[in-house]
């Protein structure tokens, strides 16, 4: 098996020599090539790389027409001749000594092997707690929004290996910010494994991912949700929810005005009928492709979701009122939070 190590670079001249030396030492038992994809760096990384290609099995691609980390990696895929592709950063935050472990995981049957900060044994060096919190929060959000990757602990890692077939002939979006996430959603694969590693400190130079990173990430998650059809589901779930409001109000009115029932008690069967209405339409429409659990289980967890949604709504409401927020606004926020909770419980459990 031939391995192609793809390294996107932008102003990484001062890291290049050590990087190549350590890769070549780690890969001495392998048939391999290194592909540096440089976006015409002002520090002339490409020029220095070309010089080093006399010493290492290295190909340098200097792009002048395009820019961006993801598109550089995609370009690397197109140029690579190996059976296994490894993607890594040039700044030595990704230890080259890990590459053989990733390749071994592929040899043992994985289609994608991720060097992961968030499996036991993995770590991040020198990050403040809030930096970790943001990273964890962003990943949690991605995993909740995209059920396909919910079992992956570090879907935004920039250090991973994959079989050529995973991405060959697949259209990857180059503005996609996190290339691994793009691959995990659109690629062709069965088995993913995560290998722990410590995300080290940058050797020289500075990070290019600053400022708008978080917004770009949210946009990417949103785009992938749309691509996956998860956004359509969310819209359908909303419409079904609105139909439930009509059912609830309609039956409440009928029970009180036509049958003369007690107003307080009449809302219990009216609510239950609305829940059944919502279940029916979600089962037949919103999640019709995901009816894997037996009917009784779907019904049960749907009710559990409704109940926990109501509870969450009330807790948020009580909390916000206690904090001095107007009770109608507090309730509105409670409704939105409850809605999200219900959608997620149903998406991941009822029709998970
Ligand atoms: N060709 C090219 N074009 N390369 C780029 C570009 C670009 O526009 N922007 C960055 N790179 C290269 C850098 O030179 C480096 O080799 C690698 O991509 C990662 O860039 P950094 O600027 O060091 O990113 P980071 O350390 O903030 O982020 C890393 O960790 C994240 C996880 O926390 C990256 O690996 C991310 O992909 C990863 O999600
Ligand atoms: Mn870095």
């Amino acid at each position: 098996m031939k391995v192609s190590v793809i390294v996107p670079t932008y102003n990484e001249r001062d890291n290049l020599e050590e990087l190549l030396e350590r890769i070549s030492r780690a890969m001495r038992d392998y048939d391999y090539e290194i592909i540096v994809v440089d976006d015409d760096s002002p520090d002339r990384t490409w020029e220095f790389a070309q010089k080093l290609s006399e010493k290492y099995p290295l190909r340098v691609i200097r792009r002048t027409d395009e820019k961006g980390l993801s598109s550089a990696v995609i370009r690397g895929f197109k140029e690579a001749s190996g059976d296994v592709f490894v993607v890594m950063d040039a700044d030595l935050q990704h230890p080259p000594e890990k590459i053989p472990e990733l390749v071994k995981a592929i040899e043992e049957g994985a289609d994608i092997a991720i060097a992961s900060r968030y499996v036991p044994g993995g770590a991040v060096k020198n990050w403040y707690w809030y930096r970790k919190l943001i990273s964890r929060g962003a990943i949690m959000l991605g995993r909740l929004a995209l059920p396909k990757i919910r079992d992956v602990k570090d879907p935004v890692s920039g250090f991973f290996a994959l079989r050529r077939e995973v991405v060959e002939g697949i259209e990857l979006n180059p503005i996609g910010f996190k290339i691994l996430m793009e691959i995990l959603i659109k690629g062709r694969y069965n088995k993913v494994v995560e290998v722990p590693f410590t995300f080290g400190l940058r050797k020289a130079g500075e990070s290019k991912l600053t400022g708008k990173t978080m917004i770009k990430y949210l946009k990417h998650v949103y785009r992938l949700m749309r691509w996956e059809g998860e956004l359509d589901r969310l819209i359908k779930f909303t419409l079904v929810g609105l139909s439930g409001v009509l059912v609830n109000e309609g039956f409440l009115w009928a029970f009180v005005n036509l049958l003369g029932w007690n107003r307080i008690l009449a809302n219990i069967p009216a609510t239950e009928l609305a829940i059944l209405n919502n279940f029916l339409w979600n089962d037949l429409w919103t999640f019709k492709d995901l009816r894997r659990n037996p009917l009784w289980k779907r019904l049960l967890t749907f009710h559990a979701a409704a109940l926990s949604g109501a509870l969450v709504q009330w807790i948020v409401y009580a909390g916000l009122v206690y904090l001095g927020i107007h009770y109608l606004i507090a309730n509105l926020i409670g409704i939105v939070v409850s809605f999200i909770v219900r959608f997620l419980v149903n998406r991941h459990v009822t029709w998970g």
Side-chain angles (χ1 to χ4, degrees), residues 89 91 93 199 202 207:
D89 295 349
D91 57 3
Q93 289 190 282
F199 189 68
R202 182 174 251 283
S207 170

Side-chain angles (χ1 to χ4, degrees), residues 46-294:
W46 46 274
E47 189 182 57
F48 188 47
Q50 270 156 2
K51 206 165 345 137
L52 290 168
S53 66
E54 289 160 19
K55 200 173 156 200
Y56 301 99
L58 167 65
R59 275 173 56 208
V60 183
I61 293 151
R62 176 188 175 193
R63 302 196 306 170
T64 49
D65 49 339
E66 240 184 317
K67 269 199 192 315
L69 175 50
S70 286
S71 74
V73 173
I74 294 169
R75 176 68 186 274
F77 290 156
K78 295 213 172 96
E79 304 284 340
S81 66
D83 312 292
V84 175
F85 300 163
V86 172
V87 176
M88 70 185 300
D89 295 349
D91 57 3
L92 297 161
Q93 289 190 282
H94 297 155
E97 293 70 29
K98 271 280 157 189
I99 301 174
E101 252 179 88
L102 295 175
V103 174
K104 193 160 154 264
I106 301 277
E107 283 169 344
E108 287 171 357
D111 300 301
I112 302 176
I114 303 169
S116 172
R117 297 165 289 177
Y118 300 126
V119 290
V124 177
K125 229 182 236 175
N126 268 34
W127 269 10
Y128 287 114
W129 63 269
Y130 62 82
R131 182 79 179 73
K132 281 186 195 160
L133 195 75
I134 291 172
S135 171
R136 292 279 202 162
I139 289 172
M140 193 168 84
L141 187 103
R143 290 168 68 196
L144 283 173
L146 301 162
K148 192 173 177 189
I149 62 164
R150 69 174 159 207
D151 295 329
V152 179
K153 301 282 187 293
D154 197 353
V156 302
S157 175
F159 189 16
F160 54 91
L162 48 90
R163 277 177 214 283
R164 160 187 282 282
E165 295 78 41
V166 174
V167 290
E168 204 166 42
I170 299 268
E171 185 92 32
L172 297 170
N173 190 340
I175 29 178
F177 185 60
K178 297 290 182 183
I179 188 66
L180 176 59
M181 208 148 87
E182 185 84 9
I183 293 167
L184 286 168
I185 294 297
K186 299 182 181 172
R188 243 185 269 111
Y189 64 91
N190 293 311
K191 192 173 171 204
V192 180
V193 299
E194 290 183 78
V195 175
F197 90 110
T198 299
F199 189 68
L201 300 177
R202 182 174 251 283
K203 203 75 182 188
E206 55 193 36
S207 170
K208 284 96 209 168
L209 308 184
T210 46
K212 300 188 197 101
T213 302
M214 203 58 211
I215 308 255
K216 278 191 191 162
Y217 175 74
L218 292 179
K219 272 193 189 157
H220 192 195
V221 170
Y222 172 79
R223 214 169 326 110
L224 290 174
M225 256 184 106
R226 225 171 52 185
W227 195 87
E228 276 273 84
E230 290 302 324
L231 205 70
D232 292 353
R233 276 194 221 284
L234 193 62
I235 291 166
K236 289 175 183 172
F237 188 80
T238 311
L239 293 175
V240 170
L242 291 175
S243 83
V245 174
L246 294 181
V247 171
N248 196 331
E249 293 275 79
F251 275 105
L252 183 59
W253 178 84
F255 291 157
V256 171
N257 285 287
L258 303 182
L259 302 178
W261 291 5
N262 173 294
R263 282 166 197 225
I264 307 268
L265 295 178
N267 205 9
I268 295 172
T271 302
E272 177 56 25
L273 285 166
I275 290 176
L276 290 176
N277 167 82
N278 292 6
F279 176 80
L280 192 74
W281 292 116
N282 280 322
D283 205 50
L284 293 176
W285 187 43
T286 315
F287 300 108
K288 70 165 185 285
D289 53 324
L290 296 173
R291 285 180 298 210
R292 288 183 282 244
N293 291 326

